[in-house]
Amino acid sequence: MSRYIAQAALRGANLIVREAEEMVEAAIAELGPDHPVAFINTAYYLPVILGFTGLEVTNLGDLRKAMAHAKRLLNSPPSQQLWLPYLGETLDAGAATLLATETIEGVRFARGEQPEPIPGLKLTGTSFTSPDSNGGQAEGGFANGPIDDIQLRAWGIQLVDGRMPGFAAIVGAARSNEAAVAIVRELQKRNILVFLSGNVNGRSIIHQLQEEGVEMGYDTYIVPFGTDTISAIYALGFATRSALTFGGMSGGQIREILLYNKYRVFAFVLALGEVDDLKYAMAAGAINYGFPVIADTVIPQILPTGVTSYEHVISMPFDDIPGETDAEKARRLVQRCTEVRGVKIKITEVPIPVPYGSAFEGERVRKADMRVEFGGSKAHAFEYLFMAPLDEVEDGKIELIGPDFSEVPEGGAMNLGILIKVAGRKMQEDFEPVLERQTHYFVNGASGIQHVGQRDITWIRFSKAAVDKGFRINHIGDILYARLHADFGAIVDKVQVTLITDQQLFEEWLTKARQAYQARNVRLADMVDEAAEEFYSCTLCQSFAPNHVCAISPERLGLCGAYNWLDCKASYQINPTGPNQPIPKGICLDPVLGVWQGVNEFVYQNSHQVVERVSLYSMMQDPMTSCGCFECIAVVIPEANGIMVVSREDPSMTPAGMTFSTLAGVAGGGQQTPGMMGIGKYYLLSKKFLYADGGFKRIVWMSSFLKESMAEELKAVCEREGIPDLLDRIADERTATTVEELLPFLEEHEHPALTMDPIF
Amino acid sequence: MSAAVPDVKEIWNGRIVEVTLGAGPDQGGTRRTTVTVGGQNTLPFLHFEGQMPHKPVVAVEVRDQAPDDWSELLVQAWGDVLSDPAAWAARAEELGAEVIALSLDSAHPERGDTGAKEARSTVRRVLEATGIPLIVYGPGQPDKDNEVLVAAAEEAAGERIALGNCEEKNYRTIVAAALANDQLVIAKTPIDVNLAKQLNVLIGDMRLSRDHIIMDPTTGALGYGLEYTYSVMERVRLAALSGDAALQQPMIVTAGYEAWRAKETRTGEGVPAEWGDWRTRSLLWEANTAVTLLETGADIVVLRHPDVIPLVKQAIEGLMQDSPVA
Ligand code: SF4
């Protein structure tokens, strides 16, 4: 807590409380204590006072009670009342300030002095344009004053359902009219509601916007409350009423109201220009609600988090913000505001000149229809996604470095590097590959664009038709930007995409990317079940196999192959109530079979009390259930003392006497069937592959599709197992489709399974 | 002899949440009757095992414009009222409906594209014409649902109506409208226990209290997937009774809608003679669909044909009898 801010806020609070008290007393002397006090068109009395104290103010006399409360807050010793005692005094002073400023507005309403007259100001839609309000003001010439209940509901619903990310309470005046307009436009662009109040030496941002012809009013989502700081109280009244309306709270439940705002109302204060004592005091009041304060001048900062989700007070002097124009500076300023408050942006459309959607994912671009390709046999392409600190990523920046493909002849190829830099408060390095892998689906969604491969074997084709419609390299960036925000907004706050065709830069980054891929491989290899604190579940398949649960560990992926441990971890961050939930491992009951107490409990619960025990490393004892979408099926061949693995792609007969599809019928449905189990094909490569049953060496037969499609990986496994030529000793559908054919093959090749312990 | 009969009673530790639709004058509404469902701690109608404090109820579907794709049988049965939702609703009430399920069909972009204003006036008129609780359905297109359901929620403030359908893609808006106006929501998910559960959790996260949520687990008609949806509903209910709080909401099913999509109800001609009389067949089709779903846990059945109302109500009456079968 900055001592400077604390002292300023205390001074400001004391002053305003005294002023409010004097105003109340003067008004009572003049008009009597029963003189009515009410804001317009609201059922929430004076909302901040109602929220903090439960007091339903209807007349001047009631305001006395509110002031008594404010004074108690000011005089309270450093207290435990709110949840951060060390900030307590300042927060209480802030609260007192809110009560006092709302009281002042109450008195002004009683005297008919609100809303404030602002000559020449015309609003597009206000509480006063409705014929039944205290009329006459539809002509204009007045600030809006507090927001009425009808508008509160209309906007409240959008704030609650996320269409509107939050609101910005701007207090003061911008450095220039241009800056004022630029800031407001930036906020509008992001669908953020704008509330205006306050002034600096008599000039208010309201005047600035008025001079620049910016339309204000409900219709443009810009609401001018008034030109003094006091009118900023209406923003907090709005916040309080949101909690009362949508949070189901009632007056006096201030702790709940404040927490509701902290977690659900993404608002912040933007202080433009000099910050005086009263502004500090108001700011302290706003912090009570979890609303951070961003100032465009030099003021002390309060960085540690606590009452607000992130920083409390940020100083971002306008002159020091990088940028050529005020518009650019404004963009950065607003960006910072949204970061500090954790406001998420929503993007619904992918802004490219060709149709976009998952319907186009499977599309192929044939050579004859192709304008240009990146990667493939004649050029190289790579994609590399990495995270960086928040301040090193410029959200929305999409840049092509190097020439476009206009010089490349039709049907030709060129090199392309796709660098995706992301930042986010919840981003983790482990999510980099998960997000990077999405590039394939994202880019493929564009009509006329084909994407295959990944990492440094990426291969992208643009069709002639797409290029004719205007599709260019940059649009890859647009797609990635939009989709990463839309689909991974929970973990990604900022996305910047650089597309590189410049030869030298391409080489440089390719080297860096390869180092990163290598590091990831190592990391992946290091990720062992023993080291993970929790595994993850997947229950997506319960829609057709009601009791099936995939227990997914770093060394055993889901049996459909689509979800590994990292995917699940990311998916859980994105969708905490979704099908991937963390499973605390609990005590290890059997390290060989791979049995954990936590896994058993979780599976028991989530299989609806059907599956009691699961061993992750065995297909013989308590194997995992198989839903139906497994990539491969492993089946015991008792005669060979081993197992066979048949892949979904393989239509041939197997030594088990059944084809894949017949086997699938037997194994599927969410049952535990010892001796038969669905698996993801990458599980074959794991050190924990049927560890308890003898591991990879047990495999006596394997579909040739697997041998070929994973040739290199399998070779490495054979080496790891100490039998480099093991793969050649494993039969496939070309060498054996019956047990009778299988056994001599194994004898001839001296397959190790023949001399292993009996599998039963 | 008596010793040979084993005790098959289960003790469940879960109970379905009680949900009240409609509010009378003392609660800020204008309904003459209100309806409470839920509260049971046993499978449907197992009165020997636990309590089923509230009987399931019959809602009747009313559209804000005359349907152009309804079976001739339905059109004949309702007659003129089809073109006036208020009159239709009043007639349904006379015929024994306990809840009106008003569909704002005309808001659909391809079926009239009406907006908030029309929605308000229809809701108002139906409320004025009836004294029973109201469910309001949007046209089933997310943007339009948001528009008209928000308007309906405001217009019916105080009446404790239910807003449907609240689905994964638009639940936030519908829930916000319910929160702001103290209405209920119908949380609809596509025949999947986990999705049903997840949506209830998400709605709960928005702080709508559990006595404001009714689930629609999505069903099929007799002969059209009824068995599958039956077993999904059964699993929902079993999980709820076993203590899974996220599934302990009462369930609503649109039996009429499903049954009248079937070929057996839509066509009277060119079908085998052994199918029997078209009208009888159709009424039984709808009634059977409804009663089957009651047996698996439906708390509210939405019906279409006027003559099916007494059939289903009679079945409910019988099923609610406490006396064990001799
Ligand atoms: S098979 Fe795949 S989708 Fe199905 S539950 Fe397992 S991991 Fe999830």
Side-chain angles (χ1 to χ4, degrees), chain A residues 241-407:
Chain A
R241 288 188 292 157
S242 298
L244 294 172
T245 310
F246 294 98
M249 288 127 196
S250 41
Q253 285 184 298
I254 190 58
R255 190 187 145 82
E256 287 77 16
I257 293 171
L258 297 180
L259 286 174
Y260 180 92
N261 274 283
K262 170 176 176 175
Y263 291 114
R264 292 167 196 263
V265 179
F266 289 93
F268 54 88
V269 178
L270 181 53
L272 301 179
E274 188 214 337
V275 180
D276 58 22
D277 289 354
L278 178 57
K279 284 183 188 162
Y280 276 119
M282 282 296 262
I287 290 173
N288 274 300
Y289 285 76
F291 302 161
V293 178
I294 298 91
D296 75 340
T297 51
V298 185
I299 61 167
Q301 309 195 99
I302 306 179
L303 297 182
T305 64
V307 187
T308 56
S309 299
Y310 304 117
E311 296 85 351
H312 290 91
V313 178
I314 286 283
S315 162
M316 198 171 176
F318 202 81
D319 289 334
D320 300 349
I321 302 174
E324 302 275 299
T325 58
D326 280 359
E328 216 177 315
K329 288 170 185 247
R331 197 164 65 80
R332 292 217 160 88
L333 178 64
V334 169
Q335 173 107 54
R336 185 80 178 110
C337 292
T338 57
E339 269 167 50
V340 172
R341 185 59 185 102
V343 179
K344 298 279 179 189
I345 347 170
K346 267 203 159 163
I347 294 166
T348 45
E349 266 177 44
V350 179
I352 52 170
V354 296
Y356 188 86
S358 51
F360 304 106
E361 265 173 30
E363 212 184 27
R364 292 276 157 263
V365 175
R366 288 180 305 124
K367 206 164 172 62
D369 302 329
M370 179 183 87
R371 167 64 188 85
V372 62
E373 65 184 339
F374 310 92
S377 55
K378 293 194 230 92
H380 280 293
F382 69 91
E383 54 209 25
Y384 174 37
L385 181 144
F386 59 103
M387 68 179 287
L390 271 166
D391 54 0
E392 285 173 26
V393 181
E394 210 182 306
D395 189 48
K397 183 166 178 188
I398 292 155
E399 192 185 12
L400 170 67
I401 304 180
D404 196 355
F405 54 77
S406 45
E407 301 296 309

Side-chain angles (χ1 to χ4, degrees), chain A residues 483-526:
Chain A
R483 292 293 309 269
L484 281 167
H485 269 299
D487 295 18
F488 293 91
I491 45 180
V492 165
D493 294 330
K494 295 172 109 183
V495 179
Q496 178 179 347
V497 185
T498 312
L499 300 137
I500 300 174
T501 53
D502 175 84
Q503 206 38 47
Q504 196 187 339
L505 209 58
F506 176 89
E507 296 296 343
E508 251 170 56
W509 274 101
L510 181 60
T511 316
K512 282 191 209 170
R514 282 186 172 145
Q515 282 160 0
Y517 304 145
Q518 188 50 36
R520 282 180 198 166
N521 288 345
V522 173
R523 158 111 181 95
L524 225 53
D526 284 350

Side-chain angles (χ1 to χ4, degrees), chain A residues 538-541 548 550 552 558-560 563 627 629:
Chain A
C538 185
T539 49
L540 214 56
C541 288
H548 172 73
C550 271
I552 297 171
L559 48 81
C560 61
Y563 288 86
C627 49
C629 44

Side-chain angles (χ1 to χ4, degrees), chain A residues 10-28 60 63-64 66-68 70-71 74 96-108 111 113-114 199 228-231 276-279 281-282:
Chain A
L10 272 173
R11 276 196 307 271
N14 276 297
L15 222 75
I16 198 75
V17 168
R18 206 174 316 139
E19 188 182 332
E21 204 181 3
E22 285 165 15
M23 283 178 74
V24 171
E25 291 312 322
I28 288 177
L60 287 172
L63 286 178
R64 261 192 190 142
M67 289 316 299
K71 284 198 293 193
L74 267 190
T97 306
L98 303 184
L99 298 180
T101 47
E102 191 164 67
T103 297
I104 293 175
E105 295 295 18
V107 173
R108 287 172 171 173
R111 289 181 179 280
E113 294 169 3
Q114 272 288 305
N199 68 74
D228 61 9
T229 306
I230 293 168
S231 65
D276 58 22
D277 289 354
L278 178 57
K279 284 183 188 162
M282 282 296 262

Side-chain angles (χ1 to χ4, degrees), chain A residues 153-154 156-157 160-163 245-249 260 264 539-540 542-544 546 575 577-579 606 608-609, chain B residues 146 150 154 172-177 179-181 191-194 197-198 201-202 204-207 228 235 239 242:
Chain A
R153 287 219 172 82
I157 287 176
V160 174
D161 73 18
R163 274 177 287 170
T245 310
F246 294 98
M249 288 127 196
Y260 180 92
R264 292 167 196 263
T539 49
L540 214 56
Q542 286 197 350
S543 54
F544 60 91
N575 182 4
T577 58
N606 288 276
H608 313 103
Q609 288 90 36
Chain B
N146 290 350
V150 169
E154 282 174 8
R172 292 173 155 277
T173 308
I174 311 298
V175 172
L179 281 167
N181 301 283
I191 328 182
D192 185 298
V193 181
N194 288 332
K197 182 172 169 171
Q198 185 180 6
V201 171
L202 291 170
D205 281 351
M206 289 183 72
R207 303 181 64 109
Y228 182 58
R235 273 162 43 214
S242 314

Side-chain angles (χ1 to χ4, degrees), chain A residues 13-275:
Chain A
N14 276 297
L15 222 75
I16 198 75
V17 168
R18 206 174 316 139
E19 188 182 332
E21 204 181 3
E22 285 165 15
M23 283 178 74
V24 171
E25 291 312 322
I28 288 177
E30 208 177 306
L31 305 166
D34 296 333
H35 190 90
V37 170
F39 286 176
I40 345 112
N41 296 335
T42 178
Y44 296 104
Y45 306 92
L46 270 52
V48 174
I49 293 174
L50 176 68
F52 269 89
T53 68
L55 215 62
E56 298 176 350
V57 174
T58 57
N59 58 38
L60 287 172
D62 293 334
L63 286 178
R64 261 192 190 142
K65 297 181 213 156
M67 289 316 299
H69 200 97
K71 284 198 293 193
R72 265 202 307 280
L73 280 171
L74 267 190
N75 298 327
S76 64
S79 72
Q80 309 277 332
Q81 267 183 334
L82 290 159
W83 58 91
L84 257 194
Y86 78 97
L87 277 172
E89 233 183 325
T90 315
L91 289 175
D92 281 355
T97 306
L98 303 184
L99 298 180
T101 47
E102 191 164 67
T103 297
I104 293 175
E105 295 295 18
V107 173
R108 287 172 171 173
F109 261 106
R111 289 181 179 280
E113 294 169 3
Q114 272 288 305
E116 176 191 338
I118 301 180
L121 181 65
K122 271 217 162 94
L123 301 181
T124 63
T126 80
S127 306
F128 304 101
T129 50
S130 80
D132 54 343
S133 71
N134 52 345
Q137 297 172 352
E139 291 307 301
F142 289 90
N144 188 81
I147 289 165
D148 64 78
D149 279 0
I150 298 173
Q151 195 59 46
L152 165 80
R153 287 219 172 82
W155 278 338
I157 287 176
Q158 295 188 49
L159 284 170
V160 174
D161 73 18
R163 274 177 287 170
M164 217 183 241
F167 71 76
I170 304 185
V171 184
R175 199 190 53 162
S176 66
N177 283 12
E178 293 71 52
V181 174
I183 289 169
V184 169
R185 292 287 181 238
E186 278 303 321
L187 291 164
Q188 278 184 309
K189 242 192 254 170
R190 293 170 161 80
N191 242 344
I192 295 171
L193 199 51
V194 184
F195 297 153
L196 308 172
S197 45
N199 68 74
V200 176
N201 302 325
R203 259 180 86 68
S204 167
I205 180 157
I206 300 177
H207 300 131
Q208 294 179 309
L209 296 181
Q210 207 182 345
E211 284 161 20
E212 296 304 313
V214 173
E215 282 204 279
M216 289 173 265
Y218 287 165
D219 297 348
T220 56
Y221 298 64
I222 305 173
V223 186
F225 286 147
T227 61
D228 61 9
T229 306
I230 293 168
S231 65
I233 188 64
Y234 296 141
L236 297 162
F238 179 85
T240 308
R241 288 188 292 157
S242 298
L244 294 172
T245 310
F246 294 98
M249 288 127 196
S250 41
Q253 285 184 298
I254 190 58
R255 190 187 145 82
E256 287 77 16
I257 293 171
L258 297 180
L259 286 174
Y260 180 92
N261 274 283
K262 170 176 176 175
Y263 291 114
R264 292 167 196 263
V265 179
F266 289 93
F268 54 88
V269 178
L270 181 53
L272 301 179
E274 188 214 337
V275 180

